[in-house]
Structures are given as structure tokens and as C-alpha cells.
Amino acid sequence: MRKLWVAALSISAAACGTGTEVARGPEVVTDTIGDTIVVHTVSGSVWGSDATLVPELSIGEMDGADEYLFGSIASIAVDDDHNVYVFDRQAQHVRMFDTEGSYVRTWGGPGQGPGELQRAEAMAVLPDGRVVVRDPGNVRLQVYGPGEESSQEWPYTTGYYTSSPLWTDDQGRTYAPARDLSQPQASFGDLLAVFDPDGTPRDTISPPHGEFEGETVTGERDGARVTYGVPFSPRAIWAVHSSGHFVSGISSDYKIDLELPEGVLRIERTYEPARVFPREADHRRAQTERGIGMSIPGWTWDGPSIPDTKPPFSGLYSGRDGRIWVPVSTEAQEVENEDHDPDNPFSTPVNWRSPLRFDVFEANGTYVGAVNPPGDFSPNPSPVFEGDDVWAVSRDDLGIQRVVRYRITLESDP
């Protein structure tokens, strides 16, 4: 094992949104353990301060042309020219907008015919500009473009209904959630069906950490069985990186693995755990009891204790540029629920809200810095990240959805 201490790794980078060249660097410890390179950030970052997201472009209106009104945005994507694609689950079609936010065209529509969609769920863009839509309702992947009238159908017999994203990589491969048809009742498993750029099924692969079993609580009665995860307990998290490899981790520790052809790059960071407040734990335990109680009346908590700190991270996203975006846990605040309905057993007088925060890493493990998005920024559906630009869905006080392009800006900038 070889260990190297780098006390203030010097990296030249452009300060986001300013165009000013700066030289800042984190303090890093690197280890080489077999075929795993560990990059552990002790302190500091390339940016030297936190960043925020400033909106630059908004697509979507409450009043106006139908092309700019969204019913239920389930997926967004961006191509190399920064055209924006929006899949509307309610309308069952994909709308394309240019880099200025102007409407270009619509693909799809509800139905079972060529080019139509039935209970489609997610969308992604291939490097050549084609749009792939996962449509288990029609048992296929529907492919549009690059021309207005061009479309293809790729059989997708292993598909099932899920809220998972659809992934593509920079080699033009597509990754879709799949089930193992060789198992009894075609059980749903953590599998991905991989398709080549021409739609040929390439392989079925298992994401990492499939053997990990997080803590759960279970209610059973008269043949009914309901299982919930213990709130704030660690879980296995993974995503498909733009390189076509997995980025993954078990959230008990701040350790994230990026698979590489020659081995593994492990990203680590020293962090301060976010606390779980006693009233917050009581709130989440009560939610779990109500959920299981819907099927197992009278069920009360009989599982392990809820942790008093949160896992270091709660998700993983891969940017188009290879950067890794990590939603990190933050401490929550108790806020009044203005929409509380006493007659709804799942409605509570108060909610606990945790500010959204991302850690951003380069694909070589360098810690770039932290980003604090505005309150109307939604991490679902999956945002699109590329360089200093972020595209995400935003919802206003009236519930109107929009797709917003944000610019990363350092909070220390004037």
C-alpha cells in the first residue's frame, strides 16, 4: 500500500459564473490499495467557498400556448447543443425546446401505434441526438429523431413499471431497469438491460451492492406482510456514470466508488454527521406506523431504534461532463404544515424539511465544492448537470412546473 499526503492540492479552476482564474485546493490523502485508488478529502475545496444556483432560463407557463404548459414532468434531458427535452407523463409525449427555451417539436402521444406511448416513464438522450423513452406499457424502448419524422422501436420484454431513471452513456449505450425472466413469476430484481446504439440487446448486468440488506421493520398478519426501511438507516445507492460504469456506495460511510476499466476510484470526504432530532425521529416512526397500519391495523413499532445521525449521503447523480453530484444529508427544521388535513391519517400538523445540498466531485475524485440550490429546486426528476449549468424542474406556489436552467455561482462572488 502506498500513501501520499498532499497538503493543499493546487488546482487551477475557473470561478463559476465569474470567468476569474483562481488557484485553490483541498487537503487530500490518497492511498493505493490493490486496484483501488482512494482519494480522501480532509478539508477545503477547489472553489474555496459554497456555491448556489442562479436561474437563467425558465421553460413553462401557466397561461399561454399549450406547448409551454406541462401536466406532469417525469423526465428531462439535454443534448450536446443544449437543446432541452421534456417528457410529460400526463400527455405521454416528448417536447423539444432549443437552447433559448423556444418550442421546436413534439414526439409521441398516447397510444399503441408506431411512435406512440402507453404508460411511458422516463427518457434520455443519446450522443447523436436521438431521444430514448422507456415505455413498458408498449413493451419497448421508443426512439425518436434525430429528424422530426424518424422513429424506431426496440423490444423491451424485461421491463417493468418503476420510477427509476433511464440512463445513456457517452458511448451511445442505453441502460434500462430489467427483471430476471428466468426466475419464478419473473421477479423484479436490481438488474439493468443494456442496449447498443442500434438497439441490439447487449447484456443484462447487476448493479453493485445487491447483497446489502438495510435495516427494516415488518408487519405480518393473516398472510399479509408489509416491510418498510428504518428511517435514516444506511442503504445501497448507485447510478450509471456517463462513462458507462457504475458509481455507487453504501451510505453508512462517506465512501463512493467509481468503477474504472483498470480498477476502482474511491471518493471519501471527512464530514460532520447531520443530527436526527428526537422529535424528528418520533415523526418518522409515526409515519412508518401509519403506513404499515394501513395493511396491518394496530401495528406498532417493534424494530431497531432510529439512528440519531443521518447517513452522509442520500443519492448519486452523474453529470454529462463526468462530474459526480452527491446529495448530502442536512439537519432538518420543523415547519407548520399549511395544508394539514385532520381527516387524512397521513397528514400531520408539522413537517420536517431538510435543506438540499450537493457535494460535487470531478471524475478523478477531486472535491470541487458544495452547492446549495434554491428552495424551489427539485431533485426529482433527475436534474441534468454539465459544467457550470444545471437543468432541473421547479414548481411554484401554485404547483406549476417549469424546467429551469441554473448557473453555478460562488456565494462569495460580489
Side-chain angles (χ1 to χ4, degrees):
M1 180 174 67
R2 177 172 55 86
K3 178 176 287 188
L4 173 66
W5 170 258
V6 185
L9 179 66
S10 179
I11 300 172
S12 178
C16 297
T18 67
T20 302
E21 292 296 321
V22 295
R24 299 168 181 159
E27 293 184 352
V28 176
V29 173
T30 65
D31 290 344
T32 301
I33 309 172
D35 64 352
T36 299
I37 299 174
V38 181
V39 180
H40 184 108
T41 300
V42 178
S43 63
S45 68
V46 173
W47 291 338
S49 66
D50 282 7
T52 189
L53 298 178
V54 177
E56 290 190 328
L57 174 71
S58 178
I59 304 172
E61 301 175 359
M62 183 174 64
D63 299 315
D66 291 345
E67 291 85 356
Y68 297 92
L69 178 63
F70 301 117
S72 177
I73 299 175
S75 191
I76 62 173
V78 176
D79 65 20
D80 289 346
D81 295 325
H82 289 182
N83 297 306
V84 179
Y85 302 83
V86 182
F87 169 62
D88 191 320
R89 181 189 289 113
Q90 181 174 305
Q92 287 290 296
H93 66 214
V94 176
R95 274 174 267 180
M96 176 183 177
F97 301 85
D98 66 19
T99 187
E100 301 299 325
S102 298
Y103 170 76
V104 177
R105 65 171 64 99
T106 296
W107 285 296
Q112 299 178 345
E116 295 178 332
L117 303 171
Q118 183 182 22
R119 296 183 65 185
E121 300 171 319
M123 166 199 63
V125 172
L126 293 166
D128 61 9
R130 288 179 297 162
V131 178
V132 184
V133 183
R134 186 178 73 234
D135 184 8
N138 280 323
V139 199
R140 66 194 182 200
L141 298 179
Q142 181 66 52
V143 184
Y144 300 112
E148 184 172 1
E149 302 298 330
S150 178
S151 68
Q152 292 178 305
E153 286 83 33
W154 298 348
Y156 178 44
T157 56
T158 60
Y160 61 96
Y161 295 107
T162 173
S163 59
S164 297
L166 182 71
W167 293 273
T168 56
D169 66 19
D170 53 18
Q171 301 300 310
R173 294 182 289 258
T174 300
Y175 302 79
R179 53 183 173 173
D180 187 351
L181 297 179
S182 67
Q183 297 299 316
Q185 300 179 355
S187 59
F188 299 163
D190 285 331
L191 297 174
L192 287 179
V194 185
F195 296 83
D196 281 335
D198 63 357
T200 302
R202 180 183 182 90
D203 201 358
T204 300
I205 57 177
S206 298
H209 309 302
E211 73 286 353
F212 176 78
E213 296 182 1
E215 290 191 305
T216 60
V217 289
T218 300
E220 294 183 87
R221 184 179 299 167
D222 299 330
R225 179 183 176 92
V226 182
T227 298
Y228 275 46
V230 173
F232 308 118
S233 62
R235 60 190 181 93
I237 299 172
W238 58 267
V240 178
H241 190 259
S242 59
S243 63
H245 300 96
F246 284 113
V247 56
S248 66
I250 296 175
S251 61
S252 53
D253 298 294
Y254 205 127
K255 295 180 180 180
I256 298 167
D257 289 348
L258 174 61
E259 297 178 2
L260 302 171
E262 64 275 13
V264 174
L265 174 71
R266 177 163 297 160
I267 299 171
E268 301 181 357
R269 181 167 179 256
T270 300
Y271 72 101
E272 186 70 27
R275 294 174 294 175
V276 176
F277 298 103
R279 285 172 57 86
E280 183 182 10
D282 292 343
H283 178 82
R284 294 295 297 273
R285 181 167 49 248
Q287 284 184 317
T288 302
E289 289 180 341
R290 284 192 296 271
I292 294 181
M294 293 291 290
S295 300
I296 315 293
W299 184 87
T300 56
W301 186 277
D302 63 353
S305 299
I306 294 177
D308 56 9
T309 60
K310 299 178 180 180
F313 60 96
S314 59
L316 291 169
Y317 299 97
S318 172
R320 286 173 49 83
D321 54 359
R323 280 181 173 174
I324 299 167
W325 286 66
V326 184
V328 295
S329 296
T330 58
E331 292 184 355
Q333 293 182 335
E334 195 174 19
V335 296
E336 181 181 355
N337 182 4
E338 297 177 353
D339 300 320
H340 173 54
D341 179 3
D343 296 327
N344 182 349
F346 290 94
S347 179
T348 57
V350 298
N351 290 320
W352 285 83
R353 293 179 182 171
S354 301
L356 186 61
R357 180 179 172 91
F358 292 96
D359 279 348
V360 185
F361 297 88
E362 299 288 5
N364 64 2
T366 301
Y367 180 51
V368 183
V371 176
N372 301 301
D376 59 356
F377 179 99
S378 175
N380 295 305
S382 297
V384 178
F385 306 95
E386 183 176 15
D388 290 348
D389 292 319
V390 179
W391 293 260
V393 173
S394 172
R395 188 187 297 268
D396 64 19
D397 294 338
L398 297 177
I400 304 301
Q401 287 184 310
R402 295 177 173 84
V403 177
V404 179
R405 186 184 73 220
Y406 299 90
R407 184 77 170 176
I408 301 175
T409 304
L410 296 183
E411 294 179 354
S412 60
D413 289 343

